[in-house]
Amino acid sequence: MTSTNNERPVSNRGRNATLVAALLGWMFDGFEMGLFPLIGRPALKELLEGSGQAGTESDWFGVIFAVFLVGAASGGVLFGWMGDKIGRVRAMSLSIFTYAVFTGLCGFATEAWHIAVLRFVASLGMGGEWSLGVALVNEIWPGKSRAFIAGLIGAASNVGFLLVAMLSMGLTGFIGSVQSVLITAGIPEASAQNLMVNSAWRFLMISGAVPALLIFFIRLFVPESAKWEEERDAGKTSHWSNVDLFGVLIGCLAAIGIIYVWSPLVGNISPWLAVAVTVVGLGICLVSFLYPVRQFLTRAVAAGKVAATQKSTVINRMLLGSSLAGVALLGTWGSIQWAPSWADELQPNDPGITQADGSVVGAVKHFAKEKTQAALAIGAIGGTILAAWAAGKFGRRITYAILCLGSVASAVYFYQGHTAFNGSFLFAAMLAGGVTASFYGFFPLYFPELFPTAVRATGQGFSFNFGRIIAAIGGLQTANLKAYFGGDLPKAGSVLAAIYLIGVFIVWLGPETKGESLPD
């Protein structure tokens, strides 16, 4: 059933405030996701120095990154559940508070495992903020604007990634300037220096708490979704139960178990055992993350609030959405996100010559990694907007299928068509970034159309974020695949890009929602 459009009108100021708050939330989300790859290794080197684990920075980095993806997946379900139970605005405020404050607390870490735990909690909020913001904006903005808004949603987080790349290129000057400001402000010189050493990772992590200020803006100016309020007044939100969240906890623990058996920290383990744990663990994750919605729908059907046929429809669409997102996320994290590292291999920095007095002359930093990340982000900003426009004009299914084919072609062209870091390399990176990231403008348009208001935040939160678990597992396999090809990243990246071909067929199992209103 589609909307009857009889909900109370929202003022232009309310709509604009909602959009501004959501876009800023996604931008900071993208900035903080891109920040850890910039400062994670210097942070871990400092924290592990002098311990028995010195030299294991890469191992810890991979584990923390995978745990982050698992946390984001769990947070998508957890905060989506909260958005459907207590309201979009309140839940979104809590999700932003979670990712901002716990990112800031990372700046006070004294052990590597502190970073892992704090990043996990922060990622819960990051995963939840996406699903809540998408639900709120789609329910408040009129239908004809939704394709354009979906493009902006996808572009916002990539603006954050672009800002990280720009910060990285100007980091040396940035550190000196900030340190001077801190000392001028009365902070002792020793304390200021401690904040700014090792790529200023402590200062940048503490600065990650700034988005918490958004909460005041949200609570003052952002209206609650009238569609959700109608569901609440009709008594449908009362069928969510706190005890159902044990399903999310079990699913989260199962996902962490999968990451553990594939991580370098576990030591030698039989590949067959790791595969068995992965298959069983994914099954547990799937059942557990679906548990809150299944229980809600069972209660709602028994109370006569939801038709019995709607239960199977919602579950099937959650599985469809997670498959579509899993393809895109695995392609992104398993293939294209390795591009900056490859750029560093092709164009390493010139270390210079160390003189007798310890000084270094002739050192040159080429910023290959940073320039590549900037090219990927610039392409992604344009690609997300164009993808949402194309889906609005030509249809959801055909657009997704074409994006999949384009992603394979652009990834193979990038990896197989270049052997040197130059202008052509950066253009290919921008093209690959634009096509492979375009899905993140498509999903904010399509996923809200798959679910009724009562389960929209949870449904799309599961759909988008369950794919992160698949991406976490696949991302750990990139290193194994790279080793299989003798360290040849282009071959590994090209093979993993083939995952997009699966999406060409999966999307036709879903409904075509072009021209339809959001379901009630």
Side-chain angles (χ1 to χ4, degrees), residues 40-61 64 109-115 198 201-202 265:
R41 294 183 191 278
L44 291 171
K45 184 176 181 180
E46 177 184 321
L47 295 173
L48 294 170
E49 188 175 4
S51 71
Q53 294 183 310
T56 62
E57 293 86 3
S58 294
D59 292 345
W60 273 101
F61 185 89
I64 291 172
T110 57
E111 301 281 349
W113 67 267
H114 295 171
I115 297 283
N198 293 324
W201 73 269
R202 290 189 184 277
L265 300 179

Short mmCIF file of all heavy atoms in Angstrom, two decimals, residues 40-61 64 109-115 198 201-202 265:
data_model
loop_
_atom_site.label_atom_id
_atom_site.label_comp_id
_atom_site.label_asym_id
_atom_site.label_seq_id
_atom_site.Cartn_x
_atom_site.Cartn_y
_atom_site.Cartn_z
N GLY A 40 46.05 5.51 11.42
CA GLY A 40 46.01 4.25 12.16
C GLY A 40 47.39 3.64 12.37
O GLY A 40 47.73 3.20 13.48
N ARG A 41 48.20 3.62 11.33
CA ARG A 41 49.52 2.99 11.45
C ARG A 41 50.45 3.76 12.38
O ARG A 41 51.13 3.14 13.22
CB ARG A 41 50.13 2.79 10.06
CG ARG A 41 49.34 1.80 9.21
CD ARG A 41 49.98 1.54 7.86
NE ARG A 41 49.09 0.81 6.98
CZ ARG A 41 48.91 -0.51 7.00
NH1 ARG A 41 49.58 -1.25 7.87
NH2 ARG A 41 48.08 -1.10 6.16
N PRO A 42 50.54 5.11 12.27
CA PRO A 42 51.35 5.85 13.25
C PRO A 42 50.86 5.64 14.68
O PRO A 42 51.67 5.52 15.61
CB PRO A 42 51.20 7.30 12.81
CG PRO A 42 50.85 7.24 11.38
CD PRO A 42 50.04 6.00 11.21
N ALA A 43 49.54 5.58 14.86
CA ALA A 43 48.99 5.37 16.20
C ALA A 43 49.38 4.01 16.74
O ALA A 43 49.83 3.88 17.89
CB ALA A 43 47.47 5.51 16.16
N LEU A 44 49.21 2.97 15.94
CA LEU A 44 49.54 1.63 16.39
C LEU A 44 51.03 1.46 16.62
O LEU A 44 51.45 0.75 17.55
CB LEU A 44 49.04 0.60 15.36
CG LEU A 44 47.52 0.48 15.25
CD1 LEU A 44 47.13 -0.38 14.06
CD2 LEU A 44 46.95 -0.13 16.54
N LYS A 45 51.85 2.10 15.80
CA LYS A 45 53.30 2.02 16.00
C LYS A 45 53.68 2.60 17.36
O LYS A 45 54.50 2.03 18.08
CB LYS A 45 54.02 2.77 14.88
CG LYS A 45 55.55 2.66 14.97
CD LYS A 45 56.23 3.33 13.80
CE LYS A 45 57.75 3.18 13.89
NZ LYS A 45 58.43 3.84 12.74
N GLU A 46 53.06 3.72 17.72
CA GLU A 46 53.34 4.33 19.03
C GLU A 46 52.84 3.46 20.17
O GLU A 46 53.54 3.25 21.17
CB GLU A 46 52.68 5.71 19.11
CG GLU A 46 52.86 6.39 20.47
CD GLU A 46 52.11 7.71 20.57
OE1 GLU A 46 52.09 8.46 19.57
OE2 GLU A 46 51.54 7.99 21.64
N LEU A 47 51.65 2.91 20.03
CA LEU A 47 51.05 2.13 21.11
C LEU A 47 51.73 0.79 21.31
O LEU A 47 51.75 0.25 22.41
CB LEU A 47 49.57 1.93 20.85
CG LEU A 47 48.71 3.21 20.86
CD1 LEU A 47 47.29 2.90 20.41
CD2 LEU A 47 48.70 3.85 22.24
N LEU A 48 52.28 0.21 20.23
CA LEU A 48 52.91 -1.11 20.31
C LEU A 48 54.41 -1.04 20.57
O LEU A 48 55.04 -2.05 20.87
CB LEU A 48 52.67 -1.89 19.01
CG LEU A 48 51.21 -2.27 18.72
CD1 LEU A 48 51.06 -2.82 17.31
CD2 LEU A 48 50.69 -3.27 19.75
N GLU A 49 54.97 0.16 20.46
CA GLU A 49 56.41 0.32 20.64
C GLU A 49 56.82 -0.08 22.07
O GLU A 49 56.20 0.32 23.05
CB GLU A 49 56.80 1.78 20.38
CG GLU A 49 58.31 2.00 20.35
CD GLU A 49 58.67 3.42 19.96
OE1 GLU A 49 57.74 4.24 19.80
OE2 GLU A 49 59.86 3.70 19.82
N GLY A 50 57.86 -0.90 22.14
CA GLY A 50 58.35 -1.34 23.45
C GLY A 50 57.61 -2.53 24.02
O GLY A 50 57.97 -3.03 25.09
N SER A 51 56.57 -3.00 23.34
CA SER A 51 55.82 -4.16 23.82
C SER A 51 56.26 -5.40 23.05
O SER A 51 57.02 -5.34 22.10
CB SER A 51 54.31 -3.95 23.62
OG SER A 51 53.99 -4.01 22.24
N GLY A 52 55.77 -6.54 23.48
CA GLY A 52 56.11 -7.77 22.80
C GLY A 52 55.49 -7.89 21.43
O GLY A 52 55.82 -8.80 20.66
N GLN A 53 54.58 -6.96 21.09
CA GLN A 53 53.90 -7.00 19.79
C GLN A 53 54.40 -5.93 18.83
O GLN A 53 53.77 -5.66 17.81
CB GLN A 53 52.39 -6.83 19.99
CG GLN A 53 51.75 -8.00 20.73
CD GLN A 53 50.25 -7.82 20.85
OE1 GLN A 53 49.76 -6.77 21.27
NE2 GLN A 53 49.50 -8.83 20.48
N ALA A 54 55.52 -5.32 19.15
CA ALA A 54 56.09 -4.31 18.25
C ALA A 54 56.36 -4.95 16.89
O ALA A 54 56.86 -6.08 16.79
CB ALA A 54 57.39 -3.76 18.84
N GLY A 55 56.02 -4.24 15.84
CA GLY A 55 56.19 -4.76 14.48
C GLY A 55 54.96 -5.44 13.93
O GLY A 55 54.96 -5.88 12.77
N THR A 56 53.90 -5.55 14.73
CA THR A 56 52.66 -6.20 14.27
C THR A 56 51.59 -5.17 13.90
O THR A 56 50.42 -5.47 13.93
CB THR A 56 52.11 -7.17 15.33
OG1 THR A 56 51.77 -6.41 16.52
CG2 THR A 56 53.13 -8.23 15.68
N GLU A 57 52.03 -3.95 13.54
CA GLU A 57 51.07 -2.89 13.25
C GLU A 57 50.11 -3.28 12.13
O GLU A 57 48.91 -3.01 12.20
CB GLU A 57 51.80 -1.60 12.87
CG GLU A 57 52.59 -0.96 13.98
CD GLU A 57 53.99 -1.53 14.10
OE1 GLU A 57 54.35 -2.38 13.27
OE2 GLU A 57 54.73 -1.12 15.01
N SER A 58 50.63 -3.92 11.08
CA SER A 58 49.77 -4.29 9.94
C SER A 58 48.71 -5.30 10.36
O SER A 58 47.56 -5.23 9.90
CB SER A 58 50.63 -4.86 8.80
OG SER A 58 51.48 -3.87 8.27
N ASP A 59 49.10 -6.24 11.23
CA ASP A 59 48.13 -7.23 11.70
C ASP A 59 47.01 -6.54 12.49
O ASP A 59 45.82 -6.82 12.27
CB ASP A 59 48.83 -8.27 12.58
CG ASP A 59 49.79 -9.14 11.80
OD1 ASP A 59 49.72 -9.13 10.56
OD2 ASP A 59 50.62 -9.82 12.43
N TRP A 60 47.39 -5.68 13.41
CA TRP A 60 46.39 -4.97 14.20
C TRP A 60 45.53 -4.07 13.32
O TRP A 60 44.32 -3.96 13.53
CB TRP A 60 47.09 -4.13 15.28
CG TRP A 60 47.34 -4.88 16.54
CD1 TRP A 60 48.52 -5.45 16.95
CD2 TRP A 60 46.39 -5.18 17.57
NE1 TRP A 60 48.37 -6.07 18.15
CE2 TRP A 60 47.07 -5.92 18.57
CE3 TRP A 60 45.04 -4.89 17.75
CZ2 TRP A 60 46.43 -6.36 19.73
CZ3 TRP A 60 44.41 -5.33 18.90
CH2 TRP A 60 45.09 -6.06 19.87
N PHE A 61 46.15 -3.44 12.34
CA PHE A 61 45.41 -2.54 11.44
C PHE A 61 44.31 -3.31 10.71
O PHE A 61 43.16 -2.86 10.64
CB PHE A 61 46.36 -1.90 10.43
CG PHE A 61 45.72 -0.87 9.55
CD1 PHE A 61 45.67 0.46 9.94
CD2 PHE A 61 45.18 -1.21 8.32
CE1 PHE A 61 45.08 1.42 9.13
CE2 PHE A 61 44.59 -0.26 7.50
CZ PHE A 61 44.54 1.05 7.91
N ILE A 64 41.49 -4.32 13.24
CA ILE A 64 40.68 -3.16 13.64
C ILE A 64 39.76 -2.74 12.51
O ILE A 64 38.59 -2.39 12.73
CB ILE A 64 41.58 -1.99 14.10
CG1 ILE A 64 42.27 -2.34 15.41
CG2 ILE A 64 40.78 -0.71 14.26
CD1 ILE A 64 43.31 -1.35 15.85
N ALA A 109 43.80 6.65 24.03
CA ALA A 109 44.16 5.23 24.12
C ALA A 109 45.62 5.07 24.54
O ALA A 109 46.49 5.85 24.15
CB ALA A 109 43.91 4.53 22.80
N THR A 110 45.88 4.03 25.33
CA THR A 110 47.25 3.71 25.74
C THR A 110 47.66 2.29 25.32
O THR A 110 48.80 1.90 25.49
CB THR A 110 47.41 3.84 27.27
OG1 THR A 110 46.46 2.98 27.92
CG2 THR A 110 47.19 5.28 27.71
N GLU A 111 46.70 1.54 24.77
CA GLU A 111 46.97 0.18 24.28
C GLU A 111 46.29 0.03 22.92
O GLU A 111 45.27 0.67 22.64
CB GLU A 111 46.42 -0.88 25.24
CG GLU A 111 46.99 -0.81 26.65
CD GLU A 111 48.37 -1.43 26.76
OE1 GLU A 111 48.79 -2.09 25.78
OE2 GLU A 111 49.01 -1.25 27.81
N ALA A 112 46.84 -0.86 22.09
CA ALA A 112 46.25 -1.09 20.77
C ALA A 112 44.83 -1.62 20.88
O ALA A 112 43.96 -1.26 20.08
CB ALA A 112 47.12 -2.05 19.98
N TRP A 113 44.58 -2.47 21.89
CA TRP A 113 43.24 -3.03 22.00
C TRP A 113 42.21 -1.97 22.40
O TRP A 113 41.02 -2.13 22.14
CB TRP A 113 43.22 -4.22 22.95
CG TRP A 113 43.48 -3.92 24.40
CD1 TRP A 113 44.67 -3.97 25.04
CD2 TRP A 113 42.51 -3.54 25.38
NE1 TRP A 113 44.53 -3.63 26.36
CE2 TRP A 113 43.21 -3.38 26.60
CE3 TRP A 113 41.12 -3.33 25.37
CZ2 TRP A 113 42.57 -3.00 27.78
CZ3 TRP A 113 40.49 -2.96 26.54
CH2 TRP A 113 41.20 -2.80 27.72
N HIS A 114 42.68 -0.87 23.04
CA HIS A 114 41.77 0.22 23.34
C HIS A 114 41.19 0.79 22.04
O HIS A 114 39.99 1.08 21.95
CB HIS A 114 42.50 1.35 24.08
CG HIS A 114 42.98 0.96 25.44
ND1 HIS A 114 43.81 1.76 26.21
CD2 HIS A 114 42.74 -0.15 26.19
CE1 HIS A 114 44.06 1.16 27.35
NE2 HIS A 114 43.43 0.00 27.36
N ILE A 115 42.05 0.96 21.03
CA ILE A 115 41.61 1.48 19.73
C ILE A 115 40.58 0.53 19.13
O ILE A 115 39.55 0.96 18.59
CB ILE A 115 42.80 1.64 18.77
CG1 ILE A 115 43.80 2.67 19.30
CG2 ILE A 115 42.32 2.03 17.38
CD1 ILE A 115 43.38 4.09 19.14
N ASN A 198 53.66 11.91 15.82
CA ASN A 198 53.20 10.72 15.08
C ASN A 198 51.95 11.03 14.25
O ASN A 198 50.89 10.43 14.42
CB ASN A 198 52.92 9.56 16.04
CG ASN A 198 54.17 9.03 16.71
OD1 ASN A 198 55.24 8.98 16.08
ND2 ASN A 198 54.07 8.67 17.97
N TRP A 201 48.02 11.98 15.51
CA TRP A 201 46.88 11.07 15.56
C TRP A 201 45.99 11.31 16.78
O TRP A 201 44.77 11.19 16.69
CB TRP A 201 47.34 9.62 15.50
CG TRP A 201 47.99 9.07 16.73
CD1 TRP A 201 49.32 9.08 17.05
CD2 TRP A 201 47.34 8.41 17.83
NE1 TRP A 201 49.55 8.47 18.26
CE2 TRP A 201 48.34 8.04 18.76
CE3 TRP A 201 46.02 8.07 18.11
CZ2 TRP A 201 48.07 7.38 19.95
CZ3 TRP A 201 45.72 7.41 19.29
CH2 TRP A 201 46.74 7.08 20.20
N ARG A 202 46.60 11.66 17.92
CA ARG A 202 45.77 11.90 19.10
C ARG A 202 44.89 13.14 18.91
O ARG A 202 43.69 13.11 19.23
CB ARG A 202 46.66 12.06 20.34
CG ARG A 202 47.34 10.77 20.78
CD ARG A 202 48.02 10.93 22.12
NE ARG A 202 48.74 9.71 22.50
CZ ARG A 202 48.18 8.65 23.07
NH1 ARG A 202 46.88 8.68 23.38
NH2 ARG A 202 48.88 7.58 23.37
N LEU A 265 46.20 -12.82 13.53
CA LEU A 265 46.47 -12.99 14.95
C LEU A 265 46.21 -14.41 15.43
O LEU A 265 46.67 -14.82 16.49
CB LEU A 265 45.61 -12.01 15.77
CG LEU A 265 45.83 -10.52 15.48
CD1 LEU A 265 44.90 -9.68 16.33
CD2 LEU A 265 47.28 -10.14 15.74
#
